[in-house]
């Protein structure tokens, strides 16, 4: 079972015997001890020199007494620096003060000493430092010291130099008891009053400290919210001048917060009218510090005093630039979607007439009665109808993409099948070497039919880039860890053709952009669309020296 401290604060109160406040009060106690003793004895010597009937010890005694007080105070101050807990140390110092006062009263006339009042100082000090227990202990010690002094006087045990003064010892026991009782009651009354006041002071200080801490936390929280909130906040006084601005307001307006202080709102942001946005959010266009103009949404409310009177405004502002851009993009996307739906419908309706025209041209071309010169024209009609049909098919594939039906499949088998298909197309060239660098064990996760479309377009582009020259097209793949830590497959289709001009590389994925006379401009757009629907990415690296390399990165989930 832990032992309770010898002295301490009132029950239920927090112990503060290690706090800077207690240490500071003890430092004042040591300082006041030396000052009070020096002043009291100095004044007493001065009064004695004026012929007053005051009992004063010889100067040698006084010097020794003062030297002892100074020595004890210096030693105590040194110990005060070393100690962590100060309750016992404070009690010892107060007992020393009571002993010093007792010695001073005894040596300056006992019952006739003018320094009996000094007993109140350690009592009050005990109440301030050690609270109620300290005050009562010092009151008891003071009473004991005074009782000892009066007892020595009654039994004629006082210094011989008292005879040099008008000192008449009291032999009346009843008078000494009466004097002791009055002083002892005064001591305890002072102890109760001072301890009550010290407890009230301690509670008040504790409450004030808690309130100050709460206010500091609240102030720090308010400042953090004020500075970190993404909405700009401006406050105005009743005269319309800006009194504060948070970090978001400075970023929106491009004005430093210090540059906004004390400036009239109507001068720096004339389009913002606080009265117009009290009930609903208003919009305005403001000019920023760099001269640019942006749309903002703002709302305001009245700052009121404790009496409920208006004392200014608080205005919240928000940059609407991105919102306006997004609205414009959404409107444009809606228009394009409507146009795309209409164009897809028209393209779909063109397929049947094209098929009829192509079929009729083939019949006429094979008719023996057809003039020889007209058969070439029928061949041109058939070829162009086929090309237009392919363009319509690509357009419909781009405008109405199907969601991928994903599954695991062998990439090596898919590449082999794709090359076999290309060998039967006009784009195939015997002068081009196909280099297969696909690991046999590498599997992909995706829509096999759509990935075949990706490889067909990329390989066809590489073959067309090598049209009329010899070269190679290399297909490689590997598995590695992606930036997010997930496994991914990298598929690379590389050729050693002339490359893509640097000025055109940013446009190769744009729909209907092509550099070939008979191209549709939809092949790479379809490839990019399919790759994105698979959650992957496509990139290109091209130069006249090394040719062109397309790299497709597809995520690979864990296989079951």
């Amino acid at each position: 079972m832990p032992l309770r401290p010898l002295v301490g604060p009132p029950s239920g109160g927090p112990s503060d015997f290690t706090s800077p406040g207690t240490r500071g009060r003890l430092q004042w106690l040591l300082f006041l001890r030396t000052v009070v003793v020096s002043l009291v004895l100095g004044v007493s010597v001065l009064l004695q020199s004026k012929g007053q009937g005051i009992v004063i010890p010889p100067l040698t005694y006084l010097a020794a007494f003062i030297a002892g007080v100074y020595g004890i105070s210096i030693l105590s101050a040194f110990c005060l620096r070393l100690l962590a807990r100060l309750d016992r140390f404070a009690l010892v110092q107060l007992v020393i003060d009571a002993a010093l006062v007792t010695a001073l009263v005894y040596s300056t006339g006992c019952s006739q000493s003018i320094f009996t009042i000094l007993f109140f100082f350690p009592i009050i000090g005990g109440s301030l430092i050690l609270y109620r227990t300290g005050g009562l202990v010092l009151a008891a010690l003071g009473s004991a010291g005074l009782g000892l002094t009066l007892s020595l006087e009654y039994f004629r045990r006082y210094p011989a130099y008292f005879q040099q003064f008008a000192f008449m010892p009291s032999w009346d026991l009843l008078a000494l008891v009466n004097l002791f009782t009055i002083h002892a009651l005064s001591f305890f009354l002072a102890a109760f009053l001072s301890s009550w006041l010290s407890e009230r002071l301690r509670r008040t200080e504790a409450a004030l400290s808690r309130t100050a801490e709460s206010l500091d936390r609240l102030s720090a929280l308010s400042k953090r919210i004020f500075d970190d909130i993404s909405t700009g906040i401006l406050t105005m006084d009743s005269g319309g001048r800006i009194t504060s601005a948070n970090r978001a307001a400075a970023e929106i307006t491009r004005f430093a917060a210090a540059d906004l202080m004390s400036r009239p709102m109507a001068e720096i942001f004339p389009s913002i009218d606080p009265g117009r946005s009290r009930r609903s959010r208003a919009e305005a266009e403001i000019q920023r510090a760099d001269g640019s103009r942006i749309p903002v949404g703002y709302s305001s409310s009245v700052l009121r005093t404790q009496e409920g009177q208006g004392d200014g405004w608080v205005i919240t502002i928000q940059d609407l630039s991105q919102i306006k851009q997004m609205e414009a993009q959404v409107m444009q996307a809606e228009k394009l979607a409507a146009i795309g739906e209409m164009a897809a419908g028209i393209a779909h309706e063109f397929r049947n007439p094209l098929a009829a025209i192509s079929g009729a041209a083939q019949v006429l071309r094979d008719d023996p009665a057809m003039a020889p010169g007209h058969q070439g024209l029928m061949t041109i009609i058939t070829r162009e109808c086929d090309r237009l049909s392919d363009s319509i098919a690509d357009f419909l594939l781009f405008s109405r993409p199907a969601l991928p039906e994903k599954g695991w499949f062998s990439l090596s088998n898919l590449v082999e099948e794709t090359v076999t298909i290309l060998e039967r197309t006009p784009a195939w060239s015997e002068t081009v070497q196909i280099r297969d660098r696909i690991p046999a064990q590498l599997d992909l996760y995706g829509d096999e039919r759509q990935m075949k479309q990706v490889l067909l377009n990329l390989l066809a582009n590489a073959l067309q880039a090598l049209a009329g020259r010899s070269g190679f097209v290399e297909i490689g793949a590997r598995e590695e860890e992606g930036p997010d830590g997930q496994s991914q497959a990298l598929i690379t289709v590389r050729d050693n053709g002339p490359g893509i001009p640097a000025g055109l590389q940013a446009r190769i994925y744009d729909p209907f952009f092509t550099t070939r006379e008979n191209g549709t401009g939809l092949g790479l757009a379809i490839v990019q669309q399919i790759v994105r629907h698979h959650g992957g990415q496509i990139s290109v690296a091209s130069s006249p020296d090394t040719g062109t390399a397309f790299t497709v990165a597809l995520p690979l989930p864990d296989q079951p």
Side-chain angles (χ1 to χ4, degrees):
M1 180 176 178
L3 296 177
R4 295 182 60 188
L6 179 63
V7 292
S11 178
S15 176
D16 62 350
F17 293 125
T18 60
S19 66
T22 301
R23 193 175 299 274
R25 287 193 288 269
L26 282 172
Q27 290 173 346
W28 271 105
L29 175 66
L30 298 178
F31 173 74
L32 290 176
R33 173 196 295 168
T34 56
V35 171
V36 169
V37 169
S38 301
L39 289 177
V40 166
L41 293 180
V43 171
S44 300
V45 172
L46 180 62
L47 292 176
Q48 184 63 36
S49 65
K50 298 297 184 179
Q52 303 295 327
I54 299 175
V55 178
I56 294 296
L59 291 179
T60 54
Y61 290 5
L62 288 177
F65 184 79
I66 294 178
V69 171
Y70 275 64
I72 293 173
S73 300
I74 292 173
L75 180 62
S76 300
F78 178 76
C79 295
L80 182 61
R81 291 176 170 269
L82 303 178
L83 297 176
R85 187 172 178 87
L86 306 175
D87 49 348
R88 297 182 184 276
F89 177 80
L91 181 61
V92 170
Q93 295 303 311
L94 293 169
V95 170
I96 290 174
D97 286 344
L100 291 175
V101 173
T102 300
L104 183 61
V105 171
Y106 172 73
S107 60
T108 56
C110 297
S111 63
Q112 301 175 30
S113 175
I114 64 173
F115 299 125
T116 308
I117 192 174
L118 294 182
F119 277 112
F120 289 101
F121 285 93
I123 294 173
I124 296 174
S127 299
L128 290 175
I129 298 175
L130 302 177
Y131 308 108
R132 180 179 303 169
T133 303
L136 294 178
V137 169
L138 268 298
L141 290 177
S143 301
L146 180 61
L148 176 62
T149 301
L150 296 179
S151 298
L152 291 175
E153 178 183 352
Y154 179 76
F155 290 105
R156 306 297 188 269
R157 296 293 189 270
Y158 48 80
Y161 62 83
F162 280 17
Q163 303 299 329
Q164 302 175 12
F165 304 94
F167 175 72
M168 296 295 294
S170 176
W171 291 359
D172 188 350
L173 180 60
L174 183 61
L176 293 176
V177 171
N178 184 46
L179 179 64
F180 171 79
T181 302
I182 293 175
H183 282 83
L185 290 175
S186 301
F187 294 163
F188 280 97
L189 180 60
F192 278 111
L193 291 176
S194 59
S195 62
W196 178 76
L197 291 174
S198 66
E199 290 174 14
R200 290 290 301 272
L201 177 62
R202 180 188 61 83
R203 294 192 184 97
T204 303
E205 288 179 347
L208 181 61
S209 177
R210 290 193 297 270
T211 303
E213 291 177 358
S214 299
L215 288 176
D216 290 342
R217 287 195 297 268
L218 182 60
S219 177
L221 178 62
S222 300
K223 186 177 185 304
R224 187 162 60 249
I225 294 174
F226 185 73
D227 289 336
D228 295 345
I229 193 172
S230 59
T231 300
I233 301 177
L234 298 170
T235 59
M236 296 167 44
D237 59 17
S238 56
R241 294 184 176 274
I242 299 175
T243 55
S244 67
N246 68 343
R247 177 185 54 82
E251 292 178 354
I252 293 173
T253 63
R254 302 288 173 86
F255 283 94
D259 296 336
L260 294 173
M261 296 298 100
S262 302
R263 295 186 64 177
M265 176 69 77
E267 173 187 319
I268 191 168
F269 302 124
S271 59
I272 295 181
D273 181 9
R276 187 160 60 94
S277 62
R278 291 186 62 180
R279 295 187 177 180
S280 61
R281 189 171 182 84
E283 294 186 7
E285 188 178 65
I286 64 171
Q287 181 172 346
R288 300 196 286 191
D290 57 5
S292 61
R293 302 185 69 86
I294 60 169
V296 296
Y298 69 94
S299 60
S300 61
S301 60
V302 179
L303 283 175
R304 300 188 181 277
T305 62
Q306 294 182 352
E307 293 78 16
Q309 299 178 353
D311 193 33
W313 298 86
V314 56
I315 302 172
T316 60
I317 60 175
Q318 185 178 9
D319 186 359
L320 301 181
S321 301
Q322 294 184 353
I323 296 177
K324 294 295 184 182
Q325 291 176 2
M326 291 176 62
E327 290 177 351
Q329 292 174 0
V330 169
M331 293 177 62
Q332 183 68 14
E334 291 177 350
K335 292 180 181 179
L336 292 176
I339 294 173
E341 288 292 332
M342 181 178 64
I346 295 174
H348 182 72
E349 293 299 325
F350 279 178
R351 299 182 73 174
N352 292 332
L354 281 175
I357 294 172
S358 178
Q362 290 179 10
V363 171
L364 292 174
R365 183 188 60 188
D366 297 336
D367 188 357
M370 173 67 67
H374 293 169
Q375 290 181 350
L377 295 177
M378 293 299 108
T379 301
I380 294 175
I381 293 173
T382 303
R383 185 179 69 246
E384 293 303 314
C385 285
D386 292 341
R387 188 169 69 86
L388 188 57
S389 179
D390 291 340
S391 298
I392 292 175
D394 288 343
F395 175 75
L396 291 175
L397 179 62
F398 177 74
S399 62
R400 295 176 179 175
L403 293 177
E405 298 178 1
K406 296 182 180 181
W408 290 97
F409 59 89
S410 172
L411 179 59
S412 178
N413 294 340
L414 182 65
V415 170
E416 183 179 351
E417 181 180 347
T418 303
V419 172
T420 301
I421 295 174
L422 285 173
E423 290 176 349
R424 294 174 174 81
T425 63
W428 184 259
S429 175
E430 297 294 338
T431 62
V432 177
Q433 179 186 4
I434 302 296
R435 300 177 180 177
D436 188 348
R437 300 288 189 268
I438 304 296
Q441 71 277 10
L442 181 60
D443 291 340
L444 284 186
Y445 183 75
D447 189 314
E448 186 174 3
R449 182 179 59 82
Q450 292 186 7
M451 293 309 302
K452 182 190 293 185
Q453 183 72 35
V454 170
L455 290 177
L456 279 172
N457 283 326
L458 293 179
L459 290 172
N461 283 350
L463 291 172
Q464 290 168 358
L466 292 169
R469 66 175 72 185
S470 60
F472 68 88
V473 176
E474 182 178 279
I475 311 171
R478 68 182 187 275
E479 182 179 345
E480 66 176 27
E481 184 176 326
D484 57 354
Q486 182 181 5
S487 297
Q488 63 178 3
L490 296 181
I491 307 169
T492 303
V493 178
R494 184 168 63 91
D495 65 69
N496 62 341
I500 303 173
L504 300 180
Q505 291 183 19
R507 301 182 58 193
I508 58 176
Y509 302 111
D510 293 346
F512 306 108
F513 174 77
T514 181
T515 57
R516 298 197 306 271
E517 182 178 353
N518 60 347
T520 63
L522 289 173
L524 288 177
I526 293 172
V527 168
Q528 184 186 53
Q529 187 180 72
I530 293 174
V531 171
R532 286 181 175 177
H533 284 176
H534 279 72
Q537 294 180 343
I538 183 171
S539 59
V540 63
S542 183
S543 69
D545 299 329
T546 60
T548 302
F550 284 92
T551 301
V552 176
L554 294 178
L556 294 177
D558 296 333
Q559 295 192 28

